[in-house]
């Protein structure tokens, strides 16, 4: 199951009009899963290469969701569209630590006021050298330090179902709401 387990973002009166973004969407599994949910009118994947875009487009077509989903080739850090939901599955852990502040600045621009960031915090490893990766180690306090000063409130945080079964403590699911 590639769709994050989501309730509509707080304050969304018409959930069926919501839009979602999956940065670094890869083959598009999460994009397709979000597009299948009635609460979203459109899900967008964001990739930096046309090769990844093609693979994602093929998967979206295979899943029959191309009318509610798309993938664009663009730079996340200059992307300007706002979304009700941004799903960061493993995007933050893939970028160098020197770019984390820019990631947080960009999240504060593309998550619409009142919208949410749903994030997989992975890998959680406080003892690992923060500069070894990707994936680069993350922690709850690190992500809080990035997002809280930029107007996000932590709505929930806990172990993912998969991590609880396979590697307890290795990853968590965080849900953040951007202030209106």
């Amino acid at each position: 199951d590639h769709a994050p387990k989501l309730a509509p973002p707080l304050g969304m009166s018409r959930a069926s009009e919501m839009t979602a973004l999956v940065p670094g969407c890869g083959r598009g599994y999460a994009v397709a899963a979000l597009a299948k949910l009635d609460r979203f009118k459109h899900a967008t994947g964001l990739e930096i290469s046309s090769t990844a875009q093609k693979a994602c487009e093929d998967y979206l077509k295979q899943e029959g969701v191309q009318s509610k989903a798309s993938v664009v080739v663009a730079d996340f850090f200059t992307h300007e569209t706002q979304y009700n939901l941004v799903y960061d599955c493993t995007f933050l852990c893939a970028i160098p630590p020197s770019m984390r502040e820019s990631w947080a600045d960009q999240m504060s621009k593309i998550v619409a006021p009142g919208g949410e960031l749903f994030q997989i915090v992975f890998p959680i490893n406080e003892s690992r050298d923060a500069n070894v990766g990707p994936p680069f180690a993350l922690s709850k306090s690190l992500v809080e330090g990035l997002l809280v000063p930029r107007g996000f409130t932590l709505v929930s945080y806990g172990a993912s179902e998969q991590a609880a079964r396979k590697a307890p403590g290795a990853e968590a699911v965080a849900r953040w709401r951007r202030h209106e």
Side-chain angles (χ1 to χ4, degrees):
D1 181 16
H2 296 281
K5 303 227 178 322
L6 300 169
L10 303 173
M12 284 299 298
S13 60
R14 301 197 56 189
S16 64
E17 295 182 1
M18 293 186 347
T19 57
L21 174 71
V22 181
C25 68
R27 298 220 180 265
Y29 303 127
V31 179
L34 289 168
K36 290 177 183 179
L37 299 175
D38 290 339
R39 69 190 64 181
F40 295 104
K41 77 174 178 186
H42 195 82
T44 302
L46 184 71
E47 266 300 338
I48 58 170
S49 82
S50 58
T51 302
Q53 179 188 37
K54 172 78 169 94
C56 183
E57 286 173 343
D58 290 346
Y59 185 74
L60 297 176
K61 185 175 181 181
Q62 174 187 320
E63 292 297 303
V65 296
Q66 63 272 34
S67 67
K68 282 188 64 182
S70 61
V71 60
V72 295
V73 174
D75 180 350
F76 167 80
F77 297 99
T78 60
H79 192 65
E80 295 183 0
T81 305
Q82 285 192 325
Y83 301 87
N84 304 105
L85 174 86
V86 175
Y87 177 37
D88 182 331
C89 183
T90 54
F91 189 70
L92 178 59
C93 72
I95 61 174
S98 62
M99 297 179 74
R100 289 177 176 162
E101 295 287 334
S102 296
W103 170 89
D105 287 340
Q106 184 64 359
M107 285 298 180
S108 71
K109 294 173 187 171
I110 64 172
V111 176
E116 294 191 357
L117 167 61
F118 190 90
Q119 180 188 30
I120 304 300
V121 180
F122 165 86
I124 298 173
N125 189 338
E126 301 271 353
S127 63
R128 182 173 162 185
D129 182 342
N131 294 308
V132 174
F136 296 98
L138 301 175
S139 67
K140 179 182 178 185
S141 61
L142 185 149
V143 180
E144 279 179 319
L146 292 168
L147 294 173
V148 170
R150 290 168 174 88
F152 286 86
T153 300
L154 184 60
V155 174
S156 64
Y157 184 91
S160 71
E161 290 177 22
Q162 180 179 352
R165 288 190 309 267
K166 294 183 178 179
E171 72 179 43
V173 177
R175 185 174 171 184
W176 302 89
R177 185 175 63 84
R178 183 173 166 223
H179 298 174
E180 301 225 17

